Amino acid sequence: MNALFRNPTFRKLFFATFTSQLGSVVGTMAFAYYMVDRFSEQPSYATLAELMYSLPTLAVFWLVGVIADRFDRKHIAAYSDWIRAFLTLLLLLVIHYDLLFVCFLILFLRSAISKFFGPAEMGLLQGSIGSEQYVQASGLNQIITSIFMLFGMSLGATAYHFIGIEGAILIDMFSFVLSGLLLSWADFPDHARTPNGRHLARDLRFSLVLGDFWEGIRYIAHNRLLLVLISGFLFFGIVNGVFSVLPIFAMKYKLSPDQYVVHSSLITVFLGIGFLAGSIMGPLLIRRFTRTPILLIGLFLSSLLIGGLGAASQVEIYFTLVLVAGIVIAPINIALGSWLPELVPPQQMGRVNSLIEPVMMLGHSMALGAIAIAFPAWISVTWLHIALALCNMMVSFLYLTFLPPLVRGAAGAKAKQAGAMEARH
């Protein structure tokens, strides 16, 4: 891990990613509180705001991977931050004038621009470190996620309480500006920035975009191990979609209606503590037991824990189960996050990464759409937890059926190839 931070390029990328996520988390959480507080009798508004973060993926996913693989990834990531900073300033103005429809439109556009950041950042990371450092880098990224789970909702609630929704949005804007500056100052190698060579904007024709997009699909389809891993992301998207609003809903409509702001913030604190502990343990567990058993056991245990959350009748029990769930889930994310760069060559990373996101966001949007229609009239908070547990269990059985033989086959093919190369020498 020390070797990673001795790499100045990785260091700038790490802090750029951190500040970019800070810009996303604080305002997003504050806006959720703003919507629930102002429209407490209409929880569907908070759900619709979450949809504005997820639906843009389905609109631009066919383009973002091609852009990340065809153009300079450093410029893509930096301009993604700076454009979001400008849109955040516009959001501040429309909130001041109470234009709710325009707020949703800007949230949609800001989220659409953010989708260009992920594939470019992943490609820059892959090209800036060695393959033996992928697990460590994934663990560090998981620690960032843990920190924002630990403090993100609390930061959003604190910002909303003390400086209002306007102040929280200003924090967003300055975070995006700083992230873009850090990326522009970093010295990334050419093979990380432009693995397919340099291209001009005028070369970007619709036929080229469509051809590159289908090439990414064909690459995934012909790599069965990668295909199985990505198939599970649909269910992960459903889990993420429900859980994006579940902490607030569980407290406000079931366990703590009078103190829901404080207690929903504490949920993410306990989840963040669990994620932080699991992020530290994850790389050690993966080195000791390999990725496959970590995925299978983690998914099965997390299913039981999420089901237990639905049955919890006291806030203290809910917090305890959330803490344990965070410890279990973090190694799953590290295993998946470090596996993909090993399976995908740099020339295809943008297209493959951009296809993972819409699979997740399809599940995310389906879940939020169902909640907007069915909650609280037809489905309770308890049943939302049960639905999450069932989704996790389905992924567990999917991976249990297909991953072990595919991993053994890939290892055998790799050993055979290495033996053939050694025989030739």
Side-chain angles (χ1 to χ4, degrees):
M1 195 168 292
N2 289 334
L4 282 174
F5 280 104
R6 284 197 297 268
N7 180 341
T9 301
F10 173 82
R11 195 163 57 241
K12 289 188 177 71
L13 180 60
F14 176 83
F15 287 113
T17 302
F18 180 88
T19 53
S20 184
Q21 287 194 31
L22 177 66
S24 299
V25 167
V26 174
T28 299
M29 292 295 103
F31 197 79
Y33 284 117
Y34 170 74
M35 296 300 292
V36 172
D37 192 24
R38 183 164 178 197
F39 304 102
S40 59
E41 301 301 320
Q42 296 172 293
S44 61
Y45 279 6
T47 307
L48 285 173
E50 286 293 333
L51 277 172
M52 294 303 102
Y53 302 124
S54 59
L55 283 177
T57 300
L58 305 179
V60 300
F61 75 93
W62 54 277
L63 179 62
V64 295
V66 177
I67 295 293
D69 286 341
R70 288 278 179 178
F71 298 98
D72 192 325
R73 290 168 173 171
K74 173 180 172 177
H75 292 161
I76 293 166
Y79 279 105
S80 171
D81 279 326
W82 289 333
I83 293 171
R84 280 185 287 167
F86 173 72
L87 290 172
T88 302
L89 181 61
L90 290 182
L91 181 63
L92 183 65
L93 293 175
V94 298
I95 286 178
H96 177 74
Y97 289 105
D98 200 23
L99 303 173
L100 185 60
F101 173 78
V102 183
C103 281
F104 285 147
L105 177 61
I106 292 176
L107 289 175
F108 183 94
L109 291 174
R110 198 175 76 159
S111 180
I113 296 298
S114 74
K115 305 309 173 188
F116 291 86
F117 184 89
E121 185 267 341
M122 176 66 81
L124 291 171
L125 176 65
Q126 184 189 33
S128 301
I129 61 175
S131 59
E132 71 282 356
Q133 296 177 309
Y134 289 154
V135 172
Q136 291 179 329
S138 182
L140 282 171
N141 286 335
Q142 191 62 51
I143 288 174
I144 293 179
T145 302
S146 306
I147 291 171
F148 284 118
M149 284 192 171
L150 184 56
F151 298 112
M153 187 169 283
S154 299
L155 284 171
T158 302
Y160 178 61
H161 181 74
F162 288 104
I163 59 178
I165 186 64
E166 293 87 356
I169 289 174
L170 282 173
I171 292 175
D172 273 18
M173 185 184 71
F174 288 121
S175 297
F176 289 138
V177 170
L178 178 58
S179 176
L181 288 173
L182 286 169
L183 288 165
S184 68
W185 293 333
D187 186 19
F188 296 103
D190 286 341
H191 67 267
R193 294 176 60 170
T194 53
N196 294 295
R198 296 189 178 274
H199 295 83
L200 300 175
R202 63 172 178 265
D203 297 331
L204 193 65
R205 301 179 303 276
F206 180 75
S207 58
L208 176 68
V209 172
L210 192 62
D212 280 7
F213 172 72
W214 281 111
E215 183 181 341
I217 292 179
R218 286 194 297 269
Y219 181 82
I220 294 173
H222 287 99
N223 188 325
R224 292 188 62 197
L225 178 55
L226 185 61
L227 181 62
V228 170
L229 287 174
I230 292 176
S231 298
F233 281 73
L234 175 65
F235 299 96
F236 295 147
I238 294 173
V239 172
N240 290 343
V242 177
F243 211 84
S244 64
V245 294
L246 192 56
I248 297 177
F249 286 0
M251 292 298 115
K252 183 171 179 61
Y253 299 105
K254 182 181 179 182
L255 297 177
S256 181
D258 297 329
Q259 298 291 327
Y260 79 94
V261 173
V262 173
H263 285 156
S264 59
S265 298
L266 286 174
I267 289 175
T268 52
V269 169
F270 279 91
L271 186 62
I273 293 171
F275 261 66
L276 191 58
S279 299
I280 295 170
M281 296 164 53
L284 301 175
L285 292 172
I286 290 170
R287 282 198 294 269
R288 175 68 179 83
F289 299 105
T290 73
R291 293 182 178 96
T292 304
I294 296 299
L295 280 176
L296 298 178
I297 295 172
L299 285 168
F300 180 76
L301 291 177
S302 63
S303 302
L304 298 179
L305 289 165
I306 293 171
L309 290 173
S313 58
Q314 295 180 345
V315 172
E316 295 78 11
I317 296 174
Y318 199 95
F319 288 162
T320 302
L321 291 174
V322 163
L323 174 66
V324 179
I327 296 172
V328 171
I329 293 171
I332 298 173
N333 293 341
I334 294 173
L336 291 169
S338 63
W339 209 342
L340 292 175
E342 290 186 8
L343 296 175
V344 182
Q347 295 83 359
Q348 297 282 352
M349 179 54 73
R351 277 163 279 193
V352 170
N353 189 269
S354 69
L355 288 168
I356 292 171
E357 184 80 3
V359 171
M360 286 190 68
M361 284 303 163
L362 176 61
H364 191 281
S365 302
M366 287 167 53
L368 288 174
I371 292 172
I373 294 170
F375 181 83
W378 297 327
I379 189 169
S380 67
V381 169
T382 298
W383 277 100
L384 288 177
H385 288 89
I386 293 173
L388 292 189
L390 290 174
C391 285
N392 257 28
M393 191 66 72
M394 290 176 70
V395 180
S396 178
F397 282 116
L398 172 70
Y399 285 173
L400 177 63
T401 302
F402 293 104
L403 276 188
L406 287 173
V407 170
R408 287 193 298 269
K414 188 175 182 180
K416 186 176 180 180
Q417 183 180 11
M421 290 180 63
E422 184 177 346
R424 283 200 298 268
H425 288 87

